[in-house]
Amino acid sequence: MSVASHPAPQTKLNSLGFAKPESETRVVVAMSGGVDSSVVAAMLAEEGYDVIGVTLQLYDHGAALAKSGACCAGIDIHDARRVAEEMGFPHYVLDYENIFKDAVIDEFADSYLGGATPVPCIRCNERVKFKDLLATARDLDADCMATGHYIQRMMGAEGPELHSAADANRDQSYFLFSTTPEQLEYLRFPLGHLPSKDATRALAEKYGLKVANKPDSQDICFVPNGDYAAVIEKLRPGAAEPGEIVDMNGNVLGEHTGVIHYTIGQRRGLGIGGLADPLYVVKLDVDNKRVVVGPKEALATRIVPLAEINWLGDEPFEATPERRIAVRVRSTRAPREAILRSTGPTTGEVELLTPEEGVSPGQACVFYDPEGSRIFGGGWIVKG
């Protein structure tokens, strides 16, 4: 007599993708003290996960206490600790001040002095949060690390993929393009599927979190009120040396008090009024201490050279010399159609089908699926 075979029952995965009970799944939550990461921690704790909260102190604690409107400030450490106490999970504050200065702040200053427009938040994710903090999470025997970023991790045919957030207004993919495939295996982003920030705040209310109505951070944490030049002058005394403002033919139009006070695409505050047509900063000639200005059309860029490319596609980056993709060259701009060409393992160039204004070295160029939500990585814009 034959015995009918029955398929083995499928192993049910928990919400973080592990085939074991929530109580046996340890997750380290990177807590900035804001509403987003607080909701992630509270949500996972309520679901029964073994949650450990970790907050990074990234710069001088005394200065942090005096400053609001930025992540990782002193009041934020207090808020993160309070959420952990209310939800009943352990919380640790790690002093990463020296690591942060070496990996993020110093490069920010040097990049700015070199005439670039850096994005330190990307470097912080890449070199601190998703490197040193992630290593700490592994040391704590965590199965994964969760953050409050608005981005989605989805499983594809070749493994986890990075996708834009469901809410385009909150999407943080521009700041996370350098996340590697290995990091993506370990990371979780529980808020990426939410339809709006209001939904996040509603969850904070549900969990009774006092940070439910806390304002979002606006500034770069170590740049008070967005005054980049003041920070550079403090970090690199004597950096603001005066020089000439010239047109594209080299004609002197005025003087400036330091190249660090200007950015590509800037129109206001040039100090060269009285001209018939508006002029914009089109180039920063650091070696000669010159700010070069020109008409708006001079800002249009079609070819964008890239370095330090992080590729998140299924096939190797160099396997296809030319790809049709969409790219974002500023965090505030929507993706635009482009052609990506590889010129080496981690170098390439993007040809914008419609020229963009104000493309600046030091910014990121992030790659998107032109017909979907997937992110294929990106690279750093360099001087051509």
Side-chain angles (χ1 to χ4, degrees):
M1 185 176 73
S2 62
V3 179
S5 61
H6 298 282
Q10 287 188 339
T11 303
K12 183 180 179 182
L13 302 180
N14 60 33
S15 64
L16 293 178
F18 298 99
K20 56 183 177 179
E22 286 82 359
S23 60
E24 297 176 14
T25 305
R26 175 170 290 180
V27 51
V28 164
V29 179
M31 300 182 68
S32 68
V35 63
D36 299 324
S37 57
S38 296
V39 164
V40 168
M43 177 194 306
L44 296 176
E46 187 185 67
E47 291 178 14
Y49 286 99
D50 178 11
V51 173
I52 299 175
V54 175
T55 300
L56 303 183
Q57 180 182 316
L58 297 179
Y59 51 96
D60 180 70
H61 194 63
L65 286 170
K67 185 180 184 305
S68 61
C71 72
C72 311
I75 188 65
D76 296 325
I77 293 173
H78 169 75
D79 288 343
R81 182 181 291 119
R82 184 170 59 180
V83 169
E85 291 174 352
E86 292 171 352
M87 298 303 298
F89 58 83
H91 174 261
Y92 302 98
V93 178
L94 304 182
D95 182 359
Y96 274 33
E97 186 174 338
N98 290 335
I99 292 173
F100 186 67
K101 182 179 184 301
D102 293 342
V104 179
I105 295 180
D106 284 344
E107 186 197 61
F108 169 84
D110 294 338
S111 181
Y112 223 91
L113 288 175
T117 308
V119 191
C121 295
I122 298 177
R123 290 301 196 193
C124 182
N125 289 327
E126 173 189 318
R127 297 177 174 177
V128 180
K129 293 175 182 175
F130 291 177
K131 183 183 177 184
D132 294 285
L133 178 56
L134 194 145
T136 298
R138 292 188 187 277
D139 289 342
L140 291 169
D141 293 325
D143 294 285
C144 63
M145 186 173 89
T147 79
H149 289 107
Y150 287 88
I151 197 167
Q152 298 189 81
R153 175 188 183 274
M154 298 182 181
M155 291 305 297
E158 302 297 325
E161 300 172 352
L162 205 58
H163 287 254
S164 299
D167 179 7
N169 293 322
R170 305 297 305 181
D171 177 63
Q172 291 177 288
S173 58
Y174 184 85
F175 300 98
L176 297 169
F177 83 86
S178 61
T179 305
T180 66
E182 294 75 24
Q183 292 167 342
L184 196 54
E185 286 277 358
Y186 196 68
L187 290 164
R188 300 294 187 273
F189 308 106
L191 302 185
H193 69 287
L194 295 181
S196 68
K197 183 61 177 269
D198 289 341
T200 304
R201 294 194 184 280
L203 286 172
E205 294 280 2
K206 171 188 171 183
Y207 301 129
L209 304 182
K210 293 182 175 63
V211 295
N213 296 311
K214 187 175 181 178
D216 292 337
S217 59
Q218 300 295 329
D219 299 328
I220 295 171
C221 62
F222 60 91
V223 184
N225 306 314
D227 190 350
Y228 289 18
V231 172
I232 301 301
E233 289 185 86
K234 182 177 180 181
L235 292 169
R236 302 289 187 270
E241 297 183 4
E244 298 171 335
I245 299 176
V246 301
D247 64 18
M248 297 177 68
N249 294 318
N251 299 310
V252 178
L253 303 178
E255 294 184 351
H256 64 75
T257 56
V259 172
I260 63 172
H261 294 286
Y262 300 85
T263 58
I264 302 296
Q266 179 178 335
R267 176 187 172 187
R268 299 182 183 278
L270 300 183
I272 49 172
L275 300 174
D277 299 314
L279 294 175
Y280 300 78
V281 176
V282 298
K283 182 181 178 182
L284 298 174
D285 183 353
V286 177
D287 293 338
N288 295 305
K289 302 183 181 63
R290 283 185 158 190
V291 173
V292 184
V293 297
K296 189 175 184 180
E297 53 267 25
L299 287 170
T301 300
R302 181 178 291 276
I303 302 297
V304 183
L306 303 175
E308 295 183 65
I309 288 175
N310 177 55
W311 179 246
L312 294 176
D314 294 332
E315 61 178 11
F317 178 59
E318 290 184 283
T320 303
E322 189 170 289
R323 295 176 173 88
R324 190 76 169 259
I325 59 169
V327 301
R328 178 179 281 164
V329 294
R330 291 265 184 167
S331 63
T332 55
R333 297 181 185 175
R336 304 286 182 88
E337 284 190 272
I339 296 171
L340 171 63
R341 300 185 181 95
S342 63
T343 59
T346 59
T347 60
E349 70 172 23
V350 158
E351 180 181 349
L352 302 167
L353 300 191
T354 302
E356 288 261 9
E357 296 175 352
V359 176
S360 174
Q363 295 282 304
C365 178
V366 183
F367 311 149
Y368 297 84
D369 180 350
E371 299 177 354
S373 62
R374 187 175 178 184
I375 298 140
F376 289 118
W380 292 96
I381 301 171
V382 295
K383 295 179 180 179

